[in-house]
mmCIF file of all heavy atoms in Angstrom:
data_model
loop_
_atom_site.group_PDB
_atom_site.id
_atom_site.type_symbol
_atom_site.label_atom_id
_atom_site.label_comp_id
_atom_site.label_asym_id
_atom_site.label_seq_id
_atom_site.Cartn_x
_atom_site.Cartn_y
_atom_site.Cartn_z
ATOM 1 N N TYR A 68 -40.964 41.208 -51.594
ATOM 2 C CA TYR A 68 -41.756 41.649 -50.445
ATOM 3 C C TYR A 68 -42.297 43.054 -50.667
ATOM 4 O O TYR A 68 -43.481 43.323 -50.458
ATOM 5 C CB TYR A 68 -40.905 41.593 -49.178
ATOM 6 C CG TYR A 68 -41.567 42.181 -47.964
ATOM 7 C CD1 TYR A 68 -42.530 41.477 -47.267
ATOM 8 C CD2 TYR A 68 -41.227 43.458 -47.516
ATOM 9 C CE1 TYR A 68 -43.146 42.016 -46.159
ATOM 10 C CE2 TYR A 68 -41.841 44.012 -46.404
ATOM 11 C CZ TYR A 68 -42.793 43.287 -45.722
ATOM 12 O OH TYR A 68 -43.403 43.826 -44.636
ATOM 13 N N PHE A 69 -41.432 43.978 -51.099
ATOM 14 C CA PHE A 69 -41.871 45.354 -51.267
ATOM 15 C C PHE A 69 -42.781 45.524 -52.478
ATOM 16 O O PHE A 69 -43.653 46.397 -52.478
ATOM 17 C CB PHE A 69 -40.675 46.300 -51.322
ATOM 18 C CG PHE A 69 -40.071 46.522 -49.962
ATOM 19 C CD1 PHE A 69 -38.831 46.012 -49.644
ATOM 20 C CD2 PHE A 69 -40.768 47.214 -48.998
ATOM 21 C CE1 PHE A 69 -38.280 46.209 -48.384
ATOM 22 C CE2 PHE A 69 -40.238 47.427 -47.736
ATOM 23 C CZ PHE A 69 -38.991 46.914 -47.435
ATOM 24 N N LYS A 70 -42.614 44.694 -53.511
ATOM 25 C CA LYS A 70 -43.567 44.727 -54.631
ATOM 26 C C LYS A 70 -44.948 44.316 -54.154
ATOM 27 O O LYS A 70 -45.963 44.915 -54.543
ATOM 28 C CB LYS A 70 -43.104 43.802 -55.757
ATOM 29 C CG LYS A 70 -42.062 44.413 -56.652
ATOM 30 C CD LYS A 70 -41.738 43.496 -57.811
ATOM 31 C CE LYS A 70 -40.700 44.115 -58.721
ATOM 32 N NZ LYS A 70 -40.348 43.225 -59.836
ATOM 33 N N GLN A 71 -45.008 43.275 -53.309
ATOM 34 C CA GLN A 71 -46.279 42.814 -52.768
ATOM 35 C C GLN A 71 -46.917 43.898 -51.901
ATOM 36 O O GLN A 71 -48.122 44.144 -51.992
ATOM 37 C CB GLN A 71 -46.073 41.528 -51.945
ATOM 38 C CG GLN A 71 -47.338 40.952 -51.365
ATOM 39 C CD GLN A 71 -48.297 40.458 -52.409
ATOM 40 O OE1 GLN A 71 -47.907 40.058 -53.500
ATOM 41 N NE2 GLN A 71 -49.576 40.468 -52.085
ATOM 42 N N LYS A 72 -46.118 44.573 -51.083
ATOM 43 C CA LYS A 72 -46.640 45.657 -50.245
ATOM 44 C C LYS A 72 -47.194 46.790 -51.101
ATOM 45 O O LYS A 72 -48.261 47.339 -50.814
ATOM 46 C CB LYS A 72 -45.538 46.216 -49.337
ATOM 47 C CG LYS A 72 -45.247 45.370 -48.146
ATOM 48 C CD LYS A 72 -46.413 45.430 -47.222
ATOM 49 C CE LYS A 72 -46.062 44.844 -45.894
ATOM 50 N NZ LYS A 72 -47.220 44.763 -45.026
ATOM 51 N N LYS A 73 -46.480 47.148 -52.170
ATOM 52 C CA LYS A 73 -46.933 48.223 -53.051
ATOM 53 C C LYS A 73 -48.242 47.836 -53.735
ATOM 54 O O LYS A 73 -49.164 48.648 -53.852
ATOM 55 C CB LYS A 73 -45.860 48.516 -54.098
ATOM 56 C CG LYS A 73 -46.170 49.683 -54.975
ATOM 57 C CD LYS A 73 -45.034 49.984 -55.925
ATOM 58 C CE LYS A 73 -45.352 51.170 -56.800
ATOM 59 N NZ LYS A 73 -44.269 51.469 -57.738
ATOM 60 N N TYR A 74 -48.346 46.571 -54.159
ATOM 61 C CA TYR A 74 -49.567 46.077 -54.796
ATOM 62 C C TYR A 74 -50.745 46.155 -53.824
ATOM 63 O O TYR A 74 -51.841 46.583 -54.192
ATOM 64 C CB TYR A 74 -49.348 44.647 -55.273
ATOM 65 C CG TYR A 74 -50.572 44.007 -55.858
ATOM 66 C CD1 TYR A 74 -51.051 44.379 -57.114
ATOM 67 C CD2 TYR A 74 -51.265 43.025 -55.162
ATOM 68 C CE1 TYR A 74 -52.181 43.800 -57.650
ATOM 69 C CE2 TYR A 74 -52.397 42.445 -55.686
ATOM 70 C CZ TYR A 74 -52.856 42.828 -56.927
ATOM 71 O OH TYR A 74 -53.970 42.265 -57.453
ATOM 72 N N GLU A 75 -50.522 45.759 -52.569
ATOM 73 C CA GLU A 75 -51.592 45.816 -51.576
ATOM 74 C C GLU A 75 -52.037 47.252 -51.316
ATOM 75 O O GLU A 75 -53.228 47.522 -51.165
ATOM 76 C CB GLU A 75 -51.124 45.163 -50.273
ATOM 77 C CG GLU A 75 -50.979 43.658 -50.364
ATOM 78 C CD GLU A 75 -50.338 43.054 -49.131
ATOM 79 O OE1 GLU A 75 -50.021 43.799 -48.171
ATOM 80 O OE2 GLU A 75 -50.144 41.834 -49.118
ATOM 81 N N GLU A 76 -51.079 48.192 -51.258
ATOM 82 C CA GLU A 76 -51.430 49.595 -51.066
ATOM 83 C C GLU A 76 -52.251 50.130 -52.235
ATOM 84 O O GLU A 76 -53.211 50.872 -52.036
ATOM 85 C CB GLU A 76 -50.167 50.430 -50.889
ATOM 86 C CG GLU A 76 -49.504 50.269 -49.547
ATOM 87 C CD GLU A 76 -48.212 51.061 -49.430
ATOM 88 O OE1 GLU A 76 -47.947 51.912 -50.320
ATOM 89 O OE2 GLU A 76 -47.472 50.829 -48.479
ATOM 90 N N GLU A 77 -51.875 49.760 -53.454
ATOM 91 C CA GLU A 77 -52.627 50.196 -54.635
ATOM 92 C C GLU A 77 -54.038 49.633 -54.604
ATOM 93 O O GLU A 77 -54.998 50.324 -54.965
ATOM 94 C CB GLU A 77 -51.909 49.745 -55.918
ATOM 95 C CG GLU A 77 -50.634 50.495 -56.202
ATOM 96 C CD GLU A 77 -50.898 51.936 -56.605
ATOM 97 O OE1 GLU A 77 -51.909 52.196 -57.283
ATOM 98 O OE2 GLU A 77 -50.089 52.787 -56.222
ATOM 99 N N LEU A 78 -54.170 48.377 -54.184
ATOM 100 C CA LEU A 78 -55.499 47.766 -54.083
ATOM 101 C C LEU A 78 -56.380 48.531 -53.104
ATOM 102 O O LEU A 78 -57.550 48.829 -53.391
ATOM 103 C CB LEU A 78 -55.370 46.313 -53.621
ATOM 104 C CG LEU A 78 -55.583 45.256 -54.693
ATOM 105 C CD1 LEU A 78 -55.129 43.903 -54.223
ATOM 106 C CD2 LEU A 78 -57.002 45.214 -55.128
#
Side-chain angles (χ1 to χ4, degrees):
Y68 173 78
F69 285 110
K70 279 185 179 179
Q71 181 66 28
K72 282 291 192 186
K73 185 176 180 181
Y74 176 73
E75 289 172 1
E76 286 177 12
E77 289 290 325
L78 255 167

